[in-house]
PDB file of all heavy atoms in Angstrom:
ATOM      1  N   VAL A  69      11.074   2.467 -14.400  1.00 97.00           N
ATOM      2  CA  VAL A  69      10.835   3.572 -13.447  1.00 97.00           C
ATOM      3  C   VAL A  69      10.594   2.897 -12.076  1.00 97.00           C
ATOM      4  O   VAL A  69       9.663   2.098 -11.924  1.00 97.00           O
ATOM      5  CB  VAL A  69       9.697   4.491 -13.858  1.00 97.00           C
ATOM      6  CG1 VAL A  69       9.481   5.516 -12.789  1.00 97.00           C
ATOM      7  CG2 VAL A  69       9.957   5.143 -15.174  1.00 97.00           C
ATOM      8  N   GLY A  70      11.365   3.352 -11.027  1.00 97.00           N
ATOM      9  CA  GLY A  70      11.166   2.802  -9.752  1.00 97.00           C
ATOM     10  C   GLY A  70      10.145   3.692  -8.990  1.00 97.00           C
ATOM     11  O   GLY A  70      10.149   4.877  -9.006  1.00 97.00           O
ATOM     12  N   VAL A  71       9.170   2.962  -8.345  1.00 97.00           N
ATOM     13  CA  VAL A  71       8.131   3.682  -7.559  1.00 97.00           C
ATOM     14  C   VAL A  71       7.938   2.914  -6.308  1.00 97.00           C
ATOM     15  O   VAL A  71       8.348   1.739  -6.149  1.00 97.00           O
ATOM     16  CB  VAL A  71       6.789   3.787  -8.305  1.00 97.00           C
ATOM     17  CG1 VAL A  71       6.920   4.587  -9.591  1.00 97.00           C
ATOM     18  CG2 VAL A  71       6.183   2.371  -8.564  1.00 97.00           C
ATOM     19  N   SER A  72       7.329   3.505  -5.312  1.00 95.00           N
ATOM     20  CA  SER A  72       6.862   2.814  -4.077  1.00 95.00           C
ATOM     21  C   SER A  72       5.384   2.867  -3.995  1.00 95.00           C
ATOM     22  O   SER A  72       4.701   3.637  -4.713  1.00 95.00           O
ATOM     23  CB  SER A  72       7.520   3.393  -2.870  1.00 95.00           C
ATOM     24  OG  SER A  72       6.818   4.565  -2.390  1.00 95.00           O
ATOM     25  N   GLY A  73       4.846   2.162  -3.100  1.00 94.00           N
ATOM     26  CA  GLY A  73       3.357   2.112  -2.925  1.00 94.00           C
ATOM     27  C   GLY A  73       2.805   3.443  -2.455  1.00 94.00           C
ATOM     28  O   GLY A  73       1.583   3.671  -2.441  1.00 94.00           O
ATOM     29  N   LYS A  74       3.709   4.299  -2.006  1.00 95.00           N
ATOM     30  CA  LYS A  74       3.260   5.667  -1.567  1.00 95.00           C
ATOM     31  C   LYS A  74       3.015   6.607  -2.744  1.00 95.00           C
ATOM     32  O   LYS A  74       2.226   7.543  -2.602  1.00 95.00           O
ATOM     33  CB  LYS A  74       4.370   6.300  -0.667  1.00 95.00           C
ATOM     34  CG  LYS A  74       4.611   5.570   0.649  1.00 95.00           C
ATOM     35  CD  LYS A  74       5.542   6.333   1.550  1.00 95.00           C
ATOM     36  CE  LYS A  74       6.972   6.505   1.000  1.00 95.00           C
ATOM     37  NZ  LYS A  74       7.778   7.304   1.924  1.00 95.00           N
ATOM     38  N   ASP A  75       3.635   6.317  -3.919  1.00 95.00           N
ATOM     39  CA  ASP A  75       3.488   7.195  -5.003  1.00 95.00           C
ATOM     40  C   ASP A  75       2.091   7.179  -5.632  1.00 95.00           C
ATOM     41  O   ASP A  75       1.564   6.046  -5.937  1.00 95.00           O
ATOM     42  CB  ASP A  75       4.525   6.837  -6.108  1.00 95.00           C
ATOM     43  CG  ASP A  75       5.977   7.056  -5.597  1.00 95.00           C
ATOM     44  OD1 ASP A  75       6.169   8.022  -4.907  1.00 95.00           O
ATOM     45  OD2 ASP A  75       6.774   6.246  -6.004  1.00 95.00           O
ATOM     46  N   ALA A  76       1.506   8.352  -5.760  1.00 94.00           N
ATOM     47  CA  ALA A  76       0.204   8.490  -6.437  1.00 94.00           C
ATOM     48  C   ALA A  76      -0.857   7.688  -5.758  1.00 94.00           C
ATOM     49  O   ALA A  76      -1.833   7.187  -6.447  1.00 94.00           O
ATOM     50  CB  ALA A  76       0.278   8.169  -7.917  1.00 94.00           C
ATOM     51  N   GLY A  77      -0.753   7.375  -4.458  1.00 94.00           N
ATOM     52  CA  GLY A  77      -1.724   6.607  -3.762  1.00 94.00           C
ATOM     53  C   GLY A  77      -1.897   5.110  -4.267  1.00 94.00           C
ATOM     54  O   GLY A  77      -2.862   4.552  -4.135  1.00 94.00           O
ATOM     55  N   LEU A  78      -0.729   4.613  -4.697  1.00 96.00           N
ATOM     56  CA  LEU A  78      -0.736   3.227  -5.263  1.00 96.00           C
ATOM     57  C   LEU A  78      -1.301   2.207  -4.219  1.00 96.00           C
ATOM     58  O   LEU A  78      -2.133   1.409  -4.521  1.00 96.00           O
ATOM     59  CB  LEU A  78       0.672   2.865  -5.729  1.00 96.00           C
ATOM     60  CG  LEU A  78       0.867   1.362  -6.178  1.00 96.00           C
ATOM     61  CD1 LEU A  78      -0.097   1.038  -7.260  1.00 96.00           C
ATOM     62  CD2 LEU A  78       2.321   1.267  -6.637  1.00 96.00           C
ATOM     63  N   LEU A  79      -0.703   2.258  -2.980  1.00 97.00           N
ATOM     64  CA  LEU A  79      -1.062   1.216  -1.985  1.00 97.00           C
ATOM     65  C   LEU A  79      -1.514   1.992  -0.740  1.00 97.00           C
ATOM     66  O   LEU A  79      -0.691   2.594  -0.006  1.00 97.00           O
ATOM     67  CB  LEU A  79       0.096   0.314  -1.686  1.00 97.00           C
ATOM     68  CG  LEU A  79       0.557  -0.544  -2.907  1.00 97.00           C
ATOM     69  CD1 LEU A  79       1.853  -1.313  -2.428  1.00 97.00           C
ATOM     70  CD2 LEU A  79      -0.486  -1.517  -3.347  1.00 97.00           C
ATOM     71  N   LYS A  80      -2.803   1.877  -0.354  1.00 97.00           N
ATOM     72  CA  LYS A  80      -3.299   2.440   0.932  1.00 97.00           C
ATOM     73  C   LYS A  80      -3.421   1.278   1.884  1.00 97.00           C
ATOM     74  O   LYS A  80      -3.990   0.202   1.518  1.00 97.00           O
ATOM     75  CB  LYS A  80      -4.631   3.105   0.701  1.00 97.00           C
ATOM     76  CG  LYS A  80      -4.524   4.348  -0.210  1.00 97.00           C
ATOM     77  CD  LYS A  80      -3.794   5.511   0.505  1.00 97.00           C
ATOM     78  CE  LYS A  80      -3.838   6.789  -0.394  1.00 97.00           C
ATOM     79  NZ  LYS A  80      -5.157   7.364  -0.516  1.00 97.00           N
ATOM     80  N   CYS A  81      -3.022   1.494   3.096  1.00 95.00           N
ATOM     81  CA  CYS A  81      -2.996   0.383   4.105  1.00 95.00           C
ATOM     82  C   CYS A  81      -3.699   0.725   5.397  1.00 95.00           C
ATOM     83  O   CYS A  81      -3.975   1.875   5.711  1.00 95.00           O
ATOM     84  CB  CYS A  81      -1.524   0.066   4.478  1.00 95.00           C
ATOM     85  SG  CYS A  81      -0.427  -0.124   3.098  1.00 95.00           S
ATOM     86  N   LYS A  82      -3.977  -0.333   6.125  1.00 94.00           N
ATOM     87  CA  LYS A  82      -4.330  -0.253   7.502  1.00 94.00           C
ATOM     88  C   LYS A  82      -3.375  -1.045   8.311  1.00 94.00           C
ATOM     89  O   LYS A  82      -2.581  -1.865   7.738  1.00 94.00           O
ATOM     90  CB  LYS A  82      -5.783  -0.750   7.836  1.00 94.00           C
ATOM     91  CG  LYS A  82      -5.954  -2.226   7.557  1.00 94.00           C
ATOM     92  CD  LYS A  82      -7.404  -2.626   7.895  1.00 94.00           C
ATOM     93  CE  LYS A  82      -7.583  -4.122   7.727  1.00 94.00           C
ATOM     94  NZ  LYS A  82      -8.993  -4.611   8.045  1.00 94.00           N
ATOM     95  N   LYS A  83      -3.338  -0.799   9.614  1.00 93.00           N
ATOM     96  CA  LYS A  83      -2.348  -1.585  10.422  1.00 93.00           C
ATOM     97  C   LYS A  83      -2.685  -3.042  10.484  1.00 93.00           C
ATOM     98  O   LYS A  83      -3.800  -3.457  10.655  1.00 93.00           O
ATOM     99  CB  LYS A  83      -2.307  -1.009  11.853  1.00 93.00           C
ATOM    100  CG  LYS A  83      -1.302  -1.627  12.754  1.00 93.00           C
ATOM    101  CD  LYS A  83      -1.429  -1.072  14.221  1.00 93.00           C
ATOM    102  CE  LYS A  83      -0.836   0.272  14.339  1.00 93.00           C
ATOM    103  NZ  LYS A  83       0.652   0.264  14.323  1.00 93.00           N
ATOM    104  N   LYS A  84      -1.682  -3.915  10.237  1.00 91.00           N
ATOM    105  CA  LYS A  84      -1.828  -5.380  10.254  1.00 91.00           C
ATOM    106  C   LYS A  84      -1.392  -5.808  11.668  1.00 91.00           C
ATOM    107  O   LYS A  84      -0.386  -5.400  12.236  1.00 91.00           O
ATOM    108  CB  LYS A  84      -0.992  -5.943   9.196  1.00 91.00           C
ATOM    109  CG  LYS A  84      -1.277  -7.475   8.970  1.00 91.00           C
ATOM    110  CD  LYS A  84      -0.480  -7.921   7.751  1.00 91.00           C
ATOM    111  CE  LYS A  84      -0.933  -9.287   7.331  1.00 91.00           C
ATOM    112  NZ  LYS A  84      -0.370  -9.768   6.046  1.00 91.00           N
ATOM    113  N   THR A  85      -2.161  -6.772  12.163  1.00 88.00           N
ATOM    114  CA  THR A  85      -1.763  -7.399  13.480  1.00 88.00           C
ATOM    115  C   THR A  85      -1.370  -8.824  13.319  1.00 88.00           C
ATOM    116  O   THR A  85      -1.642  -9.449  12.229  1.00 88.00           O
ATOM    117  CB  THR A  85      -2.888  -7.272  14.480  1.00 88.00           C
ATOM    118  OG1 THR A  85      -4.050  -8.016  13.959  1.00 88.00           O
ATOM    119  CG2 THR A  85      -3.311  -5.836  14.723  1.00 88.00           C
ATOM    120  N   ALA A  86      -0.677  -9.385  14.264  1.00 83.00           N
ATOM    121  CA  ALA A  86      -0.309 -10.798  14.264  1.00 83.00           C
ATOM    122  C   ALA A  86      -0.946 -11.483  15.442  1.00 83.00           C
ATOM    123  O   ALA A  86      -0.481 -11.341  16.593  1.00 83.00           O
ATOM    124  CB  ALA A  86       1.226 -10.911  14.297  1.00 83.00           C
ATOM    125  N   GLY A  87      -1.991 -12.231  15.221  1.00 81.00           N
ATOM    126  CA  GLY A  87      -2.698 -12.937  16.261  1.00 81.00           C
ATOM    127  C   GLY A  87      -3.241 -12.006  17.315  1.00 81.00           C
ATOM    128  O   GLY A  87      -3.264 -12.236  18.483  1.00 81.00           O
ATOM    129  N   GLY A  88      -3.672 -10.771  16.799  1.00 84.00           N
ATOM    130  CA  GLY A  88      -4.181  -9.703  17.710  1.00 84.00           C
ATOM    131  C   GLY A  88      -3.143  -8.854  18.291  1.00 84.00           C
ATOM    132  O   GLY A  88      -3.472  -7.853  18.999  1.00 84.00           O
ATOM    133  N   LYS A  89      -1.841  -9.096  18.077  1.00 88.00           N
ATOM    134  CA  LYS A  89      -0.745  -8.331  18.660  1.00 88.00           C
ATOM    135  C   LYS A  89      -0.353  -7.198  17.702  1.00 88.00           C
ATOM    136  O   LYS A  89      -0.285  -7.431  16.490  1.00 88.00           O
ATOM    137  CB  LYS A  89       0.441  -9.196  18.960  1.00 88.00           C
ATOM    138  CG  LYS A  89       0.175 -10.259  20.001  1.00 88.00           C
ATOM    139  CD  LYS A  89       1.485 -11.014  20.351  1.00 88.00           C
ATOM    140  CE  LYS A  89       1.282 -12.026  21.501  1.00 88.00           C
ATOM    141  NZ  LYS A  89       2.532 -12.801  21.731  1.00 88.00           N
ATOM    142  N   ASP A  90      -0.098  -6.081  18.307  1.00 90.00           N
ATOM    143  CA  ASP A  90       0.370  -4.892  17.533  1.00 90.00           C
ATOM    144  C   ASP A  90       1.849  -5.123  17.146  1.00 90.00           C
ATOM    145  O   ASP A  90       2.670  -5.414  18.012  1.00 90.00           O
ATOM    146  CB  ASP A  90       0.265  -3.644  18.438  1.00 90.00           C
ATOM    147  CG  ASP A  90       0.609  -2.366  17.617  1.00 90.00           C
ATOM    148  OD1 ASP A  90       1.249  -2.512  16.523  1.00 90.00           O
ATOM    149  OD2 ASP A  90       0.305  -1.278  18.099  1.00 90.00           O
ATOM    150  N   ILE A  91       2.137  -5.135  15.859  1.00 92.00           N
ATOM    151  CA  ILE A  91       3.504  -5.360  15.378  1.00 92.00           C
ATOM    152  C   ILE A  91       4.077  -4.144  14.711  1.00 92.00           C
ATOM    153  O   ILE A  91       5.023  -4.257  13.947  1.00 92.00           O
ATOM    154  CB  ILE A  91       3.573  -6.602  14.441  1.00 92.00           C
ATOM    155  CG1 ILE A  91       2.505  -6.508  13.288  1.00 92.00           C
ATOM    156  CG2 ILE A  91       3.375  -7.933  15.200  1.00 92.00           C
ATOM    157  CD1 ILE A  91       2.604  -7.599  12.305  1.00 92.00           C
ATOM    158  N   GLY A  92       3.496  -3.006  15.011  1.00 93.00           N
ATOM    159  CA  GLY A  92       4.040  -1.725  14.507  1.00 93.00           C
ATOM    160  C   GLY A  92       3.566  -1.422  13.122  1.00 93.00           C
ATOM    161  O   GLY A  92       2.421  -1.604  12.769  1.00 93.00           O
ATOM    162  N   TYR A  93       4.480  -0.839  12.360  1.00 95.00           N
ATOM    163  CA  TYR A  93       4.118  -0.285  11.041  1.00 95.00           C
ATOM    164  C   TYR A  93       4.204  -1.325   9.904  1.00 95.00           C
ATOM    165  O   TYR A  93       4.963  -1.214   8.925  1.00 95.00           O
ATOM    166  CB  TYR A  93       4.974   0.919  10.675  1.00 95.00           C
ATOM    167  CG  TYR A  93       4.644   2.051  11.731  1.00 95.00           C
ATOM    168  CD1 TYR A  93       5.662   2.357  12.689  1.00 95.00           C
ATOM    169  CD2 TYR A  93       3.489   2.744  11.747  1.00 95.00           C
ATOM    170  CE1 TYR A  93       5.405   3.359  13.622  1.00 95.00           C
ATOM    171  CE2 TYR A  93       3.247   3.734  12.701  1.00 95.00           C
ATOM    172  CZ  TYR A  93       4.149   4.009  13.609  1.00 95.00           C
ATOM    173  OH  TYR A  93       3.932   5.010  14.551  1.00 95.00           O
ATOM    174  N   VAL A  94       3.395  -2.396  10.072  1.00 93.00           N
ATOM    175  CA  VAL A  94       3.226  -3.389   9.040  1.00 93.00           C
ATOM    176  C   VAL A  94       1.862  -3.227   8.438  1.00 93.00           C
ATOM    177  O   VAL A  94       0.847  -3.181   9.169  1.00 93.00           O
ATOM    178  CB  VAL A  94       3.372  -4.800   9.675  1.00 93.00           C
ATOM    179  CG1 VAL A  94       3.169  -5.839   8.549  1.00 93.00           C
ATOM    180  CG2 VAL A  94       4.756  -5.018  10.305  1.00 93.00           C
ATOM    181  N   GLY A  95       1.797  -3.118   7.180  1.00 94.00           N
ATOM    182  CA  GLY A  95       0.553  -2.727   6.506  1.00 94.00           C
ATOM    183  C   GLY A  95      -0.214  -3.871   5.896  1.00 94.00           C
ATOM    184  O   GLY A  95       0.384  -4.779   5.304  1.00 94.00           O
ATOM    185  N   GLU A  96      -1.554  -3.736   5.981  1.00 93.00           N
ATOM    186  CA  GLU A  96      -2.443  -4.639   5.223  1.00 93.00           C
ATOM    187  C   GLU A  96      -3.125  -3.768   4.168  1.00 93.00           C
ATOM    188  O   GLU A  96      -3.774  -2.765   4.498  1.00 93.00           O
ATOM    189  CB  GLU A  96      -3.451  -5.225   6.150  1.00 93.00           C
ATOM    190  CG  GLU A  96      -4.487  -6.165   5.488  1.00 93.00           C
ATOM    191  CD  GLU A  96      -5.398  -6.813   6.457  1.00 93.00           C
ATOM    192  OE1 GLU A  96      -5.087  -6.872   7.671  1.00 93.00           O
ATOM    193  OE2 GLU A  96      -6.552  -7.161   5.989  1.00 93.00           O
ATOM    194  N   ILE A  97      -3.000  -4.134   2.890  1.00 95.00           N
ATOM    195  CA  ILE A  97      -3.486  -3.312   1.785  1.00 95.00           C
ATOM    196  C   ILE A  97      -5.037  -3.297   1.820  1.00 95.00           C
ATOM    197  O   ILE A  97      -5.697  -4.364   1.813  1.00 95.00           O
ATOM    198  CB  ILE A  97      -2.984  -3.846   0.460  1.00 95.00           C
ATOM    199  CG1 ILE A  97      -1.433  -3.770   0.426  1.00 95.00           C
ATOM    200  CG2 ILE A  97      -3.519  -3.018  -0.722  1.00 95.00           C
ATOM    201  CD1 ILE A  97      -0.837  -4.517  -0.696  1.00 95.00           C
ATOM    202  N   VAL A  98      -5.621  -2.111   1.757  1.00 95.00           N
ATOM    203  CA  VAL A  98      -7.004  -2.036   1.711  1.00 95.00           C
ATOM    204  C   VAL A  98      -7.496  -1.321   0.350  1.00 95.00           C
ATOM    205  O   VAL A  98      -8.704  -1.387   0.080  1.00 95.00           O
ATOM    206  CB  VAL A  98      -7.613  -1.244   2.967  1.00 95.00           C
ATOM    207  CG1 VAL A  98      -7.355  -2.055   4.140  1.00 95.00           C
ATOM    208  CG2 VAL A  98      -6.986   0.130   3.085  1.00 95.00           C
ATOM    209  N   GLU A  99      -6.612  -0.689  -0.234  1.00 95.00           N
ATOM    210  CA  GLU A  99      -7.012   0.095  -1.528  1.00 95.00           C
ATOM    211  C   GLU A  99      -5.780   0.153  -2.465  1.00 95.00           C
ATOM    212  O   GLU A  99      -4.686   0.424  -1.973  1.00 95.00           O
ATOM    213  CB  GLU A  99      -7.462   1.509  -1.065  1.00 95.00           C
ATOM    214  CG  GLU A  99      -8.007   2.286  -2.216  1.00 95.00           C
ATOM    215  CD  GLU A  99      -8.461   3.691  -1.761  1.00 95.00           C
ATOM    216  OE1 GLU A  99      -9.150   3.752  -0.694  1.00 95.00           O
ATOM    217  OE2 GLU A  99      -8.174   4.642  -2.419  1.00 95.00           O
ATOM    218  N   THR A 100      -6.067  -0.137  -3.683  1.00 95.00           N
ATOM    219  CA  THR A 100      -4.985  -0.131  -4.683  1.00 95.00           C
ATOM    220  C   THR A 100      -5.339   0.663  -5.853  1.00 95.00           C
ATOM    221  O   THR A 100      -6.390   0.489  -6.488  1.00 95.00           O
ATOM    222  CB  THR A 100      -4.642  -1.579  -5.204  1.00 95.00           C
ATOM    223  OG1 THR A 100      -4.475  -2.447  -4.079  1.00 95.00           O
ATOM    224  CG2 THR A 100      -3.457  -1.601  -6.080  1.00 95.00           C
ATOM    225  N   ASN A 101      -4.545   1.792  -6.170  1.00 96.00           N
ATOM    226  CA  ASN A 101      -4.855   2.716  -7.289  1.00 96.00           C
ATOM    227  C   ASN A 101      -3.696   2.512  -8.263  1.00 96.00           C
ATOM    228  O   ASN A 101      -2.583   2.966  -8.027  1.00 96.00           O
ATOM    229  CB  ASN A 101      -4.915   4.077  -6.758  1.00 96.00           C
ATOM    230  CG  ASN A 101      -5.179   5.107  -7.806  1.00 96.00           C
ATOM    231  OD1 ASN A 101      -5.216   4.782  -8.985  1.00 96.00           O
ATOM    232  ND2 ASN A 101      -5.297   6.364  -7.500  1.00 96.00           N
ATOM    233  N   VAL A 102      -3.973   1.880  -9.368  1.00 96.00           N
ATOM    234  CA  VAL A 102      -2.909   1.629 -10.386  1.00 96.00           C
ATOM    235  C   VAL A 102      -2.902   2.540 -11.542  1.00 96.00           C
ATOM    236  O   VAL A 102      -2.325   2.297 -12.596  1.00 96.00           O
ATOM    237  CB  VAL A 102      -3.068   0.165 -10.931  1.00 96.00           C
ATOM    238  CG1 VAL A 102      -2.678  -0.887  -9.828  1.00 96.00           C
ATOM    239  CG2 VAL A 102      -4.441  -0.126 -11.496  1.00 96.00           C
ATOM    240  N   ASP A 103      -3.479   3.752 -11.342  1.00 96.00           N
ATOM    241  CA  ASP A 103      -3.462   4.749 -12.449  1.00 96.00           C
ATOM    242  C   ASP A 103      -2.030   5.092 -12.872  1.00 96.00           C
ATOM    243  O   ASP A 103      -1.775   5.208 -14.064  1.00 96.00           O
ATOM    244  CB  ASP A 103      -4.163   6.100 -12.024  1.00 96.00           C
ATOM    245  CG  ASP A 103      -5.670   5.855 -11.850  1.00 96.00           C
ATOM    246  OD1 ASP A 103      -6.159   4.844 -12.361  1.00 96.00           O
ATOM    247  OD2 ASP A 103      -6.334   6.753 -11.296  1.00 96.00           O
ATOM    248  N   LEU A 104      -1.114   5.291 -11.905  1.00 96.00           N
ATOM    249  CA  LEU A 104       0.258   5.579 -12.206  1.00 96.00           C
ATOM    250  C   LEU A 104       0.886   4.418 -12.933  1.00 96.00           C
ATOM    251  O   LEU A 104       1.607   4.647 -13.920  1.00 96.00           O
ATOM    252  CB  LEU A 104       1.037   5.869 -10.870  1.00 96.00           C
ATOM    253  CG  LEU A 104       2.581   6.013 -11.039  1.00 96.00           C
ATOM    254  CD1 LEU A 104       2.930   7.234 -11.918  1.00 96.00           C
ATOM    255  CD2 LEU A 104       3.170   6.136  -9.671  1.00 96.00           C
ATOM    256  N   ILE A 105       0.681   3.140 -12.489  1.00 97.00           N
ATOM    257  CA  ILE A 105       1.202   2.048 -13.133  1.00 97.00           C
ATOM    258  C   ILE A 105       0.743   1.969 -14.600  1.00 97.00           C
ATOM    259  O   ILE A 105       1.568   1.719 -15.515  1.00 97.00           O
ATOM    260  CB  ILE A 105       0.910   0.743 -12.349  1.00 97.00           C
ATOM    261  CG1 ILE A 105       1.352   0.867 -10.895  1.00 97.00           C
ATOM    262  CG2 ILE A 105       1.508  -0.437 -13.024  1.00 97.00           C
ATOM    263  CD1 ILE A 105       2.804   1.168 -10.709  1.00 97.00           C
ATOM    264  N   ASN A 106      -0.537   2.125 -14.778  1.00 97.00           N
ATOM    265  CA  ASN A 106      -1.058   2.054 -16.186  1.00 97.00           C
ATOM    266  C   ASN A 106      -0.446   3.207 -17.075  1.00 97.00           C
ATOM    267  O   ASN A 106      -0.239   2.982 -18.216  1.00 97.00           O
ATOM    268  CB  ASN A 106      -2.549   2.191 -16.197  1.00 97.00           C
ATOM    269  CG  ASN A 106      -3.213   0.819 -15.893  1.00 97.00           C
ATOM    270  OD1 ASN A 106      -2.813  -0.233 -16.311  1.00 97.00           O
ATOM    271  ND2 ASN A 106      -4.241   0.871 -15.033  1.00 97.00           N
ATOM    272  N   THR A 107      -0.243   4.355 -16.450  1.00 97.00           N
ATOM    273  CA  THR A 107       0.356   5.433 -17.264  1.00 97.00           C
ATOM    274  C   THR A 107       1.793   5.096 -17.695  1.00 97.00           C
ATOM    275  O   THR A 107       2.137   5.347 -18.779  1.00 97.00           O
ATOM    276  CB  THR A 107       0.355   6.697 -16.354  1.00 97.00           C
ATOM    277  OG1 THR A 107      -0.945   7.110 -16.091  1.00 97.00           O
ATOM    278  CG2 THR A 107       1.077   7.884 -17.110  1.00 97.00           C
ATOM    279  N   LEU A 108       2.575   4.462 -16.763  1.00 97.00           N
ATOM    280  CA  LEU A 108       3.907   4.090 -17.047  1.00 97.00           C
ATOM    281  C   LEU A 108       3.914   3.021 -18.175  1.00 97.00           C
ATOM    282  O   LEU A 108       4.667   3.115 -19.135  1.00 97.00           O
ATOM    283  CB  LEU A 108       4.613   3.547 -15.823  1.00 97.00           C
ATOM    284  CG  LEU A 108       4.900   4.559 -14.709  1.00 97.00           C
ATOM    285  CD1 LEU A 108       5.444   3.896 -13.483  1.00 97.00           C
ATOM    286  CD2 LEU A 108       5.895   5.682 -15.195  1.00 97.00           C
ATOM    287  N   ILE A 109       3.035   2.014 -18.042  1.00 96.00           N
ATOM    288  CA  ILE A 109       2.919   1.002 -18.995  1.00 96.00           C
ATOM    289  C   ILE A 109       2.487   1.539 -20.426  1.00 96.00           C
ATOM    290  O   ILE A 109       3.145   1.178 -21.422  1.00 96.00           O
ATOM    291  CB  ILE A 109       1.878  -0.097 -18.556  1.00 96.00           C
ATOM    292  CG1 ILE A 109       2.377  -0.840 -17.379  1.00 96.00           C
ATOM    293  CG2 ILE A 109       1.599  -1.127 -19.757  1.00 96.00           C
ATOM    294  CD1 ILE A 109       1.307  -1.772 -16.744  1.00 96.00           C
TER     295      ILE A 109
END
């Protein structure tokens, strides 16, 4: 089953920077919810 980190709150992010520079919508993971993954397994 294909999923993305958006599904069931799997990967929650904050904005990641590069040397203090804004690089747009690049995410740094701050929260991981694997309930969906465990259900699939």
Side-chain angles (χ1 to χ4, degrees):
V69 176
V71 300
S72 84
K74 296 190 293 182
D75 295 323
L78 173 56
L79 299 174
K80 295 288 185 69
C81 311
K82 66 178 182 180
K83 183 184 284 284
K84 190 171 189 174
T85 60
K89 293 184 179 180
D90 187 342
I91 52 175
Y93 297 107
V94 177
E96 180 178 336
I97 300 169
V98 295
E99 188 178 312
T100 309
N101 179 356
V102 289
D103 289 348
L104 172 61
I105 304 305
N106 279 321
T107 297
L108 293 173
I109 293 171

